[in-house]
PDB file of all heavy atoms in Angstrom:
ATOM      1  N   VAL A 103     -71.354   1.891  36.495  1.00 95.00           N
ATOM      2  CA  VAL A 103     -72.255   0.997  36.984  1.00 95.00           C
ATOM      3  C   VAL A 103     -71.681   0.131  38.142  1.00 95.00           C
ATOM      4  O   VAL A 103     -72.350  -0.145  39.183  1.00 95.00           O
ATOM      5  CB  VAL A 103     -72.840  -0.056  36.072  1.00 95.00           C
ATOM      6  CG1 VAL A 103     -73.713  -1.084  36.646  1.00 95.00           C
ATOM      7  CG2 VAL A 103     -73.751   0.751  35.044  1.00 95.00           C
ATOM      8  N   GLU A 104     -70.413  -0.146  38.088  1.00 93.00           N
ATOM      9  CA  GLU A 104     -69.635  -0.924  39.150  1.00 93.00           C
ATOM     10  C   GLU A 104     -69.232  -0.031  40.354  1.00 93.00           C
ATOM     11  O   GLU A 104     -69.399  -0.417  41.500  1.00 93.00           O
ATOM     12  CB  GLU A 104     -68.313  -1.439  38.496  1.00 93.00           C
ATOM     13  CG  GLU A 104     -68.460  -2.438  37.405  1.00 93.00           C
ATOM     14  CD  GLU A 104     -68.937  -3.912  37.996  1.00 93.00           C
ATOM     15  OE1 GLU A 104     -68.781  -4.027  39.115  1.00 93.00           O
ATOM     16  OE2 GLU A 104     -69.250  -4.722  37.159  1.00 93.00           O
ATOM     17  N   ARG A 105     -68.896   1.320  40.014  1.00 93.00           N
ATOM     18  CA  ARG A 105     -68.622   2.275  41.085  1.00 93.00           C
ATOM     19  C   ARG A 105     -69.758   2.830  41.781  1.00 93.00           C
ATOM     20  O   ARG A 105     -69.713   2.866  43.046  1.00 93.00           O
ATOM     21  CB  ARG A 105     -67.757   3.439  40.386  1.00 93.00           C
ATOM     22  CG  ARG A 105     -66.347   3.161  40.184  1.00 93.00           C
ATOM     23  CD  ARG A 105     -65.790   4.302  39.523  1.00 93.00           C
ATOM     24  NE  ARG A 105     -65.636   5.599  40.354  1.00 93.00           N
ATOM     25  CZ  ARG A 105     -65.374   6.818  39.878  1.00 93.00           C
ATOM     26  NH1 ARG A 105     -65.200   6.980  38.566  1.00 93.00           N
ATOM     27  NH2 ARG A 105     -65.220   7.867  40.591  1.00 93.00           N
ATOM     28  N   PHE A 106     -70.901   3.116  41.050  1.00 95.00           N
ATOM     29  CA  PHE A 106     -72.076   3.706  41.701  1.00 95.00           C
ATOM     30  C   PHE A 106     -73.348   2.919  41.428  1.00 95.00           C
ATOM     31  O   PHE A 106     -74.178   3.493  40.683  1.00 95.00           O
ATOM     32  CB  PHE A 106     -72.153   5.172  41.297  1.00 95.00           C
ATOM     33  CG  PHE A 106     -71.005   6.000  41.615  1.00 95.00           C
ATOM     34  CD1 PHE A 106     -70.062   6.349  40.553  1.00 95.00           C
ATOM     35  CD2 PHE A 106     -70.725   6.351  42.916  1.00 95.00           C
ATOM     36  CE1 PHE A 106     -68.970   7.229  40.872  1.00 95.00           C
ATOM     37  CE2 PHE A 106     -69.516   7.066  43.216  1.00 95.00           C
ATOM     38  CZ  PHE A 106     -68.740   7.553  42.286  1.00 95.00           C
ATOM     39  N   PRO A 107     -73.404   1.735  41.812  1.00 95.00           N
ATOM     40  CA  PRO A 107     -74.600   0.882  41.366  1.00 95.00           C
ATOM     41  C   PRO A 107     -75.905   1.440  41.925  1.00 95.00           C
ATOM     42  O   PRO A 107     -77.019   1.254  41.260  1.00 95.00           O
ATOM     43  CB  PRO A 107     -74.303  -0.506  42.158  1.00 95.00           C
ATOM     44  CG  PRO A 107     -73.361  -0.167  43.161  1.00 95.00           C
ATOM     45  CD  PRO A 107     -72.481   1.104  42.739  1.00 95.00           C
ATOM     46  N   ALA A 108     -75.929   2.189  43.127  1.00 96.00           N
ATOM     47  CA  ALA A 108     -77.181   2.788  43.521  1.00 96.00           C
ATOM     48  C   ALA A 108     -77.586   3.803  42.601  1.00 96.00           C
ATOM     49  O   ALA A 108     -78.840   4.031  42.363  1.00 96.00           O
ATOM     50  CB  ALA A 108     -76.961   3.377  45.022  1.00 96.00           C
ATOM     51  N   ARG A 109     -76.734   4.739  42.174  1.00 96.00           N
ATOM     52  CA  ARG A 109     -77.007   5.772  41.127  1.00 96.00           C
ATOM     53  C   ARG A 109     -77.446   5.079  39.907  1.00 96.00           C
ATOM     54  O   ARG A 109     -78.604   5.637  39.283  1.00 96.00           O
ATOM     55  CB  ARG A 109     -75.876   6.662  40.914  1.00 96.00           C
ATOM     56  CG  ARG A 109     -75.556   7.635  42.011  1.00 96.00           C
ATOM     57  CD  ARG A 109     -74.387   8.513  41.660  1.00 96.00           C
ATOM     58  NE  ARG A 109     -73.584   8.852  42.755  1.00 96.00           N
ATOM     59  CZ  ARG A 109     -72.458   9.554  42.775  1.00 96.00           C
ATOM     60  NH1 ARG A 109     -71.932   9.934  41.575  1.00 96.00           N
ATOM     61  NH2 ARG A 109     -71.800   9.889  43.828  1.00 96.00           N
ATOM     62  N   ALA A 110     -76.891   4.064  39.458  1.00 96.00           N
ATOM     63  CA  ALA A 110     -77.290   3.448  38.285  1.00 96.00           C
ATOM     64  C   ALA A 110     -78.675   2.952  38.329  1.00 96.00           C
ATOM     65  O   ALA A 110     -79.475   3.083  37.433  1.00 96.00           O
ATOM     66  CB  ALA A 110     -76.195   2.380  37.787  1.00 96.00           C
ATOM     67  N   GLU A 111     -78.911   2.184  39.508  1.00 96.00           N
ATOM     68  CA  GLU A 111     -80.174   1.630  39.659  1.00 96.00           C
ATOM     69  C   GLU A 111     -81.411   2.669  39.663  1.00 96.00           C
ATOM     70  O   GLU A 111     -82.404   2.545  39.283  1.00 96.00           O
ATOM     71  CB  GLU A 111     -80.283   0.858  40.903  1.00 96.00           C
ATOM     72  CG  GLU A 111     -79.388  -0.505  40.888  1.00 96.00           C
ATOM     73  CD  GLU A 111     -79.810  -1.519  39.880  1.00 96.00           C
ATOM     74  OE1 GLU A 111     -81.150  -1.719  39.737  1.00 96.00           O
ATOM     75  OE2 GLU A 111     -78.990  -2.101  39.184  1.00 96.00           O
TER      76      GLU A 111
END
Side-chain angles (χ1 to χ4, degrees):
Chain A
V103 173
E104 298 282 352
R105 277 174 71 192
F106 300 109
R109 286 183 208 175
E111 294 294 322

